[in-house]
Amino acid sequence: MTFIPKSWFNYCRIRCSSAGPVGDICFFTGAETAFGVYSGSNGGMEGQTEEKHRVAFEFREKLNAIAEGFRHNYCYQCGACVGDCPAANYSEGFNPRLILLKALLGFEDELISPDSEIWNCTNCYTCSERCPQDVRPVDVIIALKNICVKEDKAPDLVRNVSDAVLVSGITTKVTSLIEKRRKDFGLPPITEYPVEDLKKLLEKDRGRGV
Amino acid sequence: MSDISDNKYIPFFGCMLATKFPWFEAAVRTSLARIGLELVDVDGFTCCPDPIYFQARDKMEWYAVAARNLSLAEDLGHDIITTCSGCTATLSEVNLALKEDGELRERINKRLAKIGREYKGSIDVRHAVTVLRDDFGLERVAETVTRPLEGLKVAVHYGCHLLKPSRVMRVDNPDHPTILETLLETVGAEPIHHELTLLCCGRACVTDSIPQSMLADILDAVTRNGADCMGLICPTCFDEFDTGQIVLGRKLGRTFDVPIVYYFQLLGIAQGLSAEEVGLKMHKVKLASLLEYTRA
């Protein structure tokens, strides 16, 4: 069993040994999740292989086609994105390095889902500051989110907030209380939002990635 | 960049300032006018659009809506001045992406042509604090201060999108920023840079547990460091912290009592505006010392 790269050992507790044909990707579940590429010898690893997967290159192609999605190919799994990640520090499940790894291996079911950990990204861009490969993990995560929305596998919140923009031009609502408050603070009234313009701008090409 | 000698900027207040916290907009308008900025309002702006959910929906649509907003400002030829970190994030990133990537610009312009608009890439997007620091200078800001906020200890909260991604924002060192500290000193306050000054507010997470744990830690750090309040520049962070601490307090059965203040409210008060004029009484957690101070 050969694990690529070696630095994964720093992050993963592994229990495995047997594996399938050479070239298979093995997916191990232990205290944490780990992955390995089987190269024909067991490399001294003892334990049990729990699951086995082939790399889903189709998913890589799908991600490549989304804006900024291609950047996941640059990831060499160093883990620099994890240390200062607030969502990683404040939760058990969120780990940008593992999200990138799952994207590379094509773990589509785990990534493309309303329950995927990608929805806990804080969009703070600290990982983008740290990444030596210019992967821009937040942008890859946004590309993954775009796939979720396209395939109707995003949390309702995403549609609700973005639909509001298309219906009213803003994410919030203009109520009579707001209008009164603006007046009280000496502010000009809110002019009408050009919703028709937005509809024309977006409607025709929706879903065709133009 | 447009000619700044005329001091004209196009304000982009966004959804949050215009409809949720209009008193922030009032504080911005009044305090910037005193420094000498002329704000030229543009009709027809929409949501920036929101860098979290709208970008998550479809990045190309996000580019298109933002490019439409940018093109409206381009017609007048002045830079956009932003007062919300979300708007800053969206408009700055889209502006840079479209300037750098000719192919993307062409695709987006095809969409814009449907509504008779074109993105040219002729202006910049700047957060109001960078305009103060870089175009007018701290000395000019200090000249407008008639009532320095002496003794007011303000815990600095940067929020993410003034600084990061630094490739796009180009405002300050993302790990060791000083812009907000110097601007607070300029109005006579004492900035407190604490260990969680740069932590995110967590608003973008879909689950509550991550932002709520961060919120508790940040509020505790503010209190532990002896600050009177937290000072920030982003309405989303403000919402997360002001209303958020009441919600979290109820959940945890404790009271945080950390007043949250928007920088331009402090600037306005230092320039002689009253607490009422900058809407300090609208906050869930009141800053008693500052309310007293403006009465004096």
Side-chain angles (χ1 to χ4, degrees):
Chain A
M1 183 65 51
T2 306
F3 283 85
I4 303 171
K6 289 276 191 208
S7 61
W8 292 357
F9 283 115
N10 298 336
Y11 299 94
C12 311
R13 281 243 313 268
I14 299 147
R15 46 192 182 92
C16 63
S17 72
S18 61
V22 174
D24 270 8
I25 289 296
C26 299
F27 171 47
F28 307 103
T29 47
E32 292 175 45
T33 306
F35 305 88
V37 180
Y38 182 58
S39 67
S41 70
N42 81 0
M45 300 298 298
E46 297 299 326
Q48 310 85 41
T49 300
E50 311 239 336
E51 285 178 61
K52 202 164 66 183
H53 293 265
R54 287 195 174 274
V55 178
F57 288 105
E58 317 80 67
F59 184 67
R60 208 179 279 198
E61 292 304 315
K62 194 193 264 188
L63 196 47
N64 286 345
I66 302 282
E68 304 279 348
F70 68 94
R71 293 187 169 277
H72 79 289
N73 294 296
Y74 303 158
C75 177
Y76 56 31
Q77 290 288 297
C78 70
C81 50
V82 183
D84 287 331
C85 169
N89 287 325
Y90 280 89
S91 73
E92 293 295 318
F94 191 87
N95 181 323
R97 183 190 64 84
L98 276 180
I99 289 172
L100 263 297
L101 180 58
K102 287 175 184 176
L104 284 165
L105 297 180
F107 279 57
E108 189 166 2
D109 292 348
E110 287 186 41
L111 292 173
I112 307 303
S113 144
D115 306 316
S116 165
E117 63 261 48
I118 61 172
W119 300 104
N120 275 328
C121 171
T122 67
N123 279 57
C124 75
Y125 291 97
T126 306
C127 52
S128 299
E129 298 298 321
R130 302 285 177 268
C131 178
Q133 284 287 91
D134 201 24
V135 168
R136 306 180 193 168
V138 175
D139 291 298
V140 174
I141 288 170
I142 288 165
L144 291 165
K145 289 176 176 177
N146 284 180
I147 296 178
C148 291
V149 172
K150 234 179 211 176
E151 299 183 1
D152 211 13
K153 290 174 183 164
D156 292 341
L157 189 63
V158 179
R159 279 274 177 211
N160 294 347
V161 175
S162 57
D163 277 349
V165 176
L166 301 179
V167 171
S168 60
I170 52 172
T171 55
T172 45
K173 278 203 177 86
V174 181
T175 61
S176 55
L177 175 66
I178 284 163
E179 281 170 343
K180 182 184 176 300
R181 276 185 179 160
R182 288 187 64 84
K183 205 172 164 200
D184 291 346
F185 281 101
L187 295 170
I190 291 175
T191 51
E192 213 171 297
Y193 290 99
V195 182
E196 286 310 311
D197 255 19
L198 281 190
K199 278 187 187 147
K200 247 190 258 173
L201 184 64
L202 302 180
E203 216 157 45
K204 199 177 158 201
D205 300 324
R206 172 148 323 135
R208 290 199 299 170
V210 176
Chain B
M1 191 186 297
S2 62
D3 177 17
I4 60 157
S5 62
D6 59 6
N7 293 345
K8 285 181 179 158
Y9 297 84
I10 295 171
F12 193 98
F13 288 111
C15 318
M16 295 291 271
L17 259 70
T19 66
K20 222 167 170 180
F21 309 115
W23 53 94
F24 288 178
E25 183 182 328
V28 169
R29 285 186 184 272
T30 313
S31 61
L32 293 188
R34 290 187 178 194
I35 289 166
L37 280 82
E38 192 185 325
L39 299 183
V40 183
D41 285 287
V42 166
D43 277 346
F45 281 148
T46 61
C47 175
C48 57
D50 149 46
I52 309 301
Y53 299 110
F54 205 93
Q55 191 178 191
R57 176 199 189 100
D58 185 321
K59 192 152 190 170
M60 297 310 287
E61 293 188 351
W62 180 70
Y63 282 133
V65 176
R68 182 190 162 281
N69 284 326
L70 291 164
S71 77
L72 287 172
E74 285 179 340
D75 287 352
L76 279 87
H78 310 296
D79 282 349
I80 286 179
I81 186 168
T82 54
T83 50
C84 160
S85 298
C87 302
T88 311
T90 290
L91 297 176
S92 302
E93 185 170 345
V94 174
N95 200 31
L96 182 68
L98 296 182
K99 278 184 185 182
E100 281 181 341
D101 185 342
E103 202 182 317
L104 178 65
R105 186 167 61 239
E106 212 172 290
R107 280 173 74 182
I108 296 302
N109 270 333
K110 261 185 207 158
R111 287 191 163 206
L112 287 176
K114 292 192 290 189
I115 52 165
R117 302 218 60 85
E118 185 193 359
Y119 167 88
K120 299 185 186 72
S122 57
I123 58 160
D124 284 335
V125 176
R126 332 253 314 279
H127 193 287
V129 292
T130 67
V131 170
L132 292 188
R133 181 192 63 182
D134 302 336
D135 293 4
F136 289 83
L138 301 176
E139 277 174 29
R140 174 65 200 132
V141 178
E143 278 168 20
T144 65
V145 172
T146 55
R147 190 165 60 175
L149 307 175
E150 274 163 33
L152 186 73
K153 294 180 177 174
V154 183
V156 183
H157 177 81
Y158 269 91
C160 302
H161 300 145
L162 174 68
L163 304 170
K164 295 175 287 188
S166 58
R167 176 184 64 83
V168 175
M169 307 315 297
R170 302 172 187 180
V171 166
D172 206 340
N173 182 327
D175 295 319
H176 305 282
T178 56
I179 182 168
L180 295 188
E181 283 82 350
T182 51
L183 279 168
L184 283 166
E185 281 164 0
T186 305
V187 298
E190 185 189 328
I192 294 183
H193 188 106
H194 60 86
E195 61 273 24
L196 298 179
T197 281
L198 296 177
L199 186 58
C200 173
C201 77
R203 180 61 164 261
C205 302
V206 290
T207 53
D208 288 339
S209 64
I210 295 174
Q212 287 189 341
S213 310
M214 297 201 289
L215 176 59
D217 279 4
I218 293 173
L219 295 173
D220 285 342
V222 170
T223 307
R224 192 167 58 243
N225 283 276
D228 300 307
C229 62
M230 180 200 285
L232 43 67
I233 52 153
C234 173
T236 302
C237 296
F238 173 83
D239 200 24
E240 196 67 15
F241 292 136
D242 187 47
T243 311
Q245 68 180 287
I246 307 284
V247 175
L248 183 60
R250 273 188 210 129
K251 187 176 166 186
L252 301 179
R254 52 177 290 207
T255 309
F256 288 101
D257 198 25
V258 178
I260 316 293
V261 193
Y262 185 61
Y263 176 76
F264 295 93
Q265 292 177 299
L266 293 176
L267 176 60
I269 288 171
Q271 289 172 337
L273 295 179
S274 69
E276 282 80 8
E277 282 171 298
V278 299
L280 222 47
K281 285 183 177 166
M282 305 298 286
H283 296 200
K284 298 278 189 297
V285 183
K286 311 281 190 279
L287 180 49
S289 64
L290 211 56
L291 288 172
E292 286 294 317
Y293 185 77
T294 59
R295 248 176 242 129

